[in-house]
Amino acid sequence: MALPDPSWSVDDIVAHLRSIGTAENRAGMARFGINTASALGVGNSEMRPLARKLKKNHQRSLLLWDSGIREARLMAAFTGEPKKVDIDQCRRWAADFDSWEIVDTVADLFAETQFWRELIDEFAEDEREFVRRTAFAMLAWSAVHLKKEPDATFLAYLPLIEKHAGDPRNFVRKAVNWALRQIGKRSMSLHAPALALAEKLAASSDRTARWIGKDAVKELTDAKQLARLAAAKT
């Protein structure tokens, strides 16, 4: 087969992925809690360089997703075009989510759409575990990468974090914790309110909220984090 390039079809991409997947990789993924039911066994160290060679292609990404194959769906997220994604596509893809890894990868794509805030609000209220995780994975990614977004946007999300801090499901609580930590590390102005919420949760009678809070307090009071924030402010 020729070297990967943007002209490759979905069949070309899937055939290539099948040729480089290994049982050893699948076993490794399973140890990290990744759903490997449809996995070919290709690691992300190979996936991301391949995505860069294939380049963005909205229509192809839709077909890759429809294949149902783990690696093809990750490639769909890597090569999707945020400006061409519509909200119904996000809802359709979210209904297919079956692994935290897929969620966290696709959340990056969703967070680059023009309606990312609407999605966070909608998905946070969804009772499906992986869909709710998507909301907080998007929030965590946005807090880090959307540099031009005002801090006020993220300050306004702290009540949403508090609201769902009692969800005991593993993949939700970890994402809620992740979002709280990333907001607190975004800037000095966000650090204080995020830490205040973390301390409040740490004192909660609810076991899940307490875990989220204590873990966030630990990171947000770390000397290196505080020094980084102080340096960024100057």
Side-chain angles (χ1 to χ4, degrees), residues 201-218:
L201 295 176
S204 173
S205 60
D206 181 89
R207 180 179 180 181
T208 301
R210 195 163 60 247
W211 176 84
I212 289 171
K214 286 183 176 180
D215 187 74
V217 166
K218 181 179 179 180

Side-chain angles (χ1 to χ4, degrees), residues 85-123:
V85 172
D86 63 48
I87 199 164
D88 287 332
Q89 176 192 331
C90 296
R91 291 167 178 150
R92 289 194 304 273
W93 283 23
D96 291 334
F97 289 162
D98 61 0
S99 178
W100 67 264
E101 179 202 33
I102 294 290
V103 168
D104 294 359
T105 305
V106 177
D108 296 356
L109 174 67
F110 287 1
E112 292 188 80
T113 64
Q114 295 299 308
F115 44 83
W116 66 275
R117 290 180 290 273
E118 182 180 347
L119 279 179
I120 287 175
D121 292 338
E122 178 180 327
F123 287 170

Side-chain angles (χ1 to χ4, degrees), residues 2-213:
L3 293 175
D5 70 56
S7 70
W8 271 21
S9 68
V10 170
D11 287 344
D12 292 332
I13 294 168
V14 172
H16 178 69
L17 291 169
R18 288 188 187 282
S19 72
I20 61 176
T22 68
E24 182 181 3
N25 280 340
R26 286 196 298 274
M29 292 168 193
R31 288 195 294 273
F32 282 96
I34 294 170
N35 185 339
T36 59
S38 67
L40 302 177
V42 183
N44 282 341
S45 62
E46 294 177 279
M47 292 285 290
R48 290 184 181 276
L50 176 60
R52 287 193 289 271
K53 292 174 183 176
L54 294 173
K55 301 191 181 300
K56 304 286 188 180
N57 185 314
H58 176 67
Q59 289 301 322
R60 190 184 61 202
S61 74
L62 297 177
L63 296 173
L64 283 166
W65 185 268
D66 288 343
S67 74
I69 298 167
R70 169 206 173 255
E71 285 79 1
R73 286 186 163 178
L74 291 176
M75 196 59 65
F78 292 147
T79 62
E81 298 179 73
K83 291 182 179 179
K84 295 183 180 180
V85 172
D86 63 48
I87 199 164
D88 287 332
Q89 176 192 331
C90 296
R91 291 167 178 150
R92 289 194 304 273
W93 283 23
D96 291 334
F97 289 162
D98 61 0
S99 178
W100 67 264
E101 179 202 33
I102 294 290
V103 168
D104 294 359
T105 305
V106 177
D108 296 356
L109 174 67
F110 287 1
E112 292 188 80
T113 64
Q114 295 299 308
F115 44 83
W116 66 275
R117 290 180 290 273
E118 182 180 347
L119 279 179
I120 287 175
D121 292 338
E122 178 180 327
F123 287 170
E125 298 310 311
D126 197 298
E127 290 298 328
R128 290 171 290 181
E129 182 175 8
F130 288 118
V131 179
R132 182 169 290 171
R133 179 184 175 89
T134 306
F136 293 99
M138 287 177 63
L139 185 52
W141 188 94
S142 300
V144 175
H145 296 283
L146 299 186
K147 305 295 187 183
K148 295 182 180 180
E149 191 69 28
D151 282 353
T153 297
F154 299 99
L155 182 65
Y157 276 117
L158 291 180
L160 187 70
I161 287 174
E162 182 173 8
K163 179 179 180 180
H164 293 289
D167 190 325
R169 293 174 294 180
N170 186 49
F171 295 117
V172 174
R173 71 185 181 99
K174 288 185 175 180
V176 172
N177 168 264
W178 181 21
L180 177 56
R181 289 185 289 107
Q182 295 306 106
I183 289 174
K185 293 188 294 181
R186 179 180 169 89
S187 68
M188 190 61 82
S189 66
L190 284 172
H191 179 267
L195 178 59
L197 175 55
E199 290 172 336
K200 180 180 179 181
L201 295 176
S204 173
S205 60
D206 181 89
R207 180 179 180 181
T208 301
R210 195 163 60 247
W211 176 84
I212 289 171

